[in-house]
Amino acid sequence: MDWDLCKTFVAVAETRSFAAAARQLRSSHPTVGRKITELESQLGIPLFARSNDGLSLTSQGRKFREHVEAMAAAALRAEAAVSATGAQARG
């Protein structure tokens, strides 16, 4: 699974908007939309329910978010564990 797609998913889940996620990621609205479409296609499930009020996670999206956030935390711990300086991970 492409970690970049997961990072995009987390940004959209946090901001509830492709445009806001794009600003947060320093990307473009169409790029964020394409990445979410690609992720949903790979998983074969809708992750977001779209409405006039913005985006909200589907039940599958909520489950997926738990696992993606655990992956992110594990990646940060792994980076900190092998860092020569012991500095906190960034980014």
Side-chain angles (χ1 to χ4, degrees):
M1 176 169 295
D2 184 341
W3 179 241
D4 192 48
L5 298 178
C6 292
K7 288 190 304 187
T8 301
F9 166 77
V10 170
V12 174
E14 289 174 354
T15 62
R16 300 187 63 203
S17 154
F18 289 165
R23 286 190 296 275
Q24 179 179 322
L25 296 168
R26 296 184 180 143
S27 185
S28 70
H29 179 279
T31 297
V32 169
R34 279 192 301 273
K35 287 181 178 183
I36 294 301
T37 298
E38 181 179 346
L39 183 59
E40 289 177 327
S41 177
Q42 285 181 11
L43 295 172
I45 57 169
L47 297 169
F48 295 96
R50 292 147 175 92
S51 72
N52 290 337
D53 295 328
L55 301 170
S56 60
L57 289 169
T58 62
S59 61
Q60 297 94 342
R62 287 190 296 276
K63 289 176 189 174
F64 186 68
R65 184 179 185 178
E66 290 176 25
H67 293 284
V68 170
E69 288 177 346
M71 288 169 47
L76 289 174
R77 286 192 307 275
E79 183 179 353
V82 298
S83 174
T85 62
Q88 292 282 351
R90 300 175 309 281

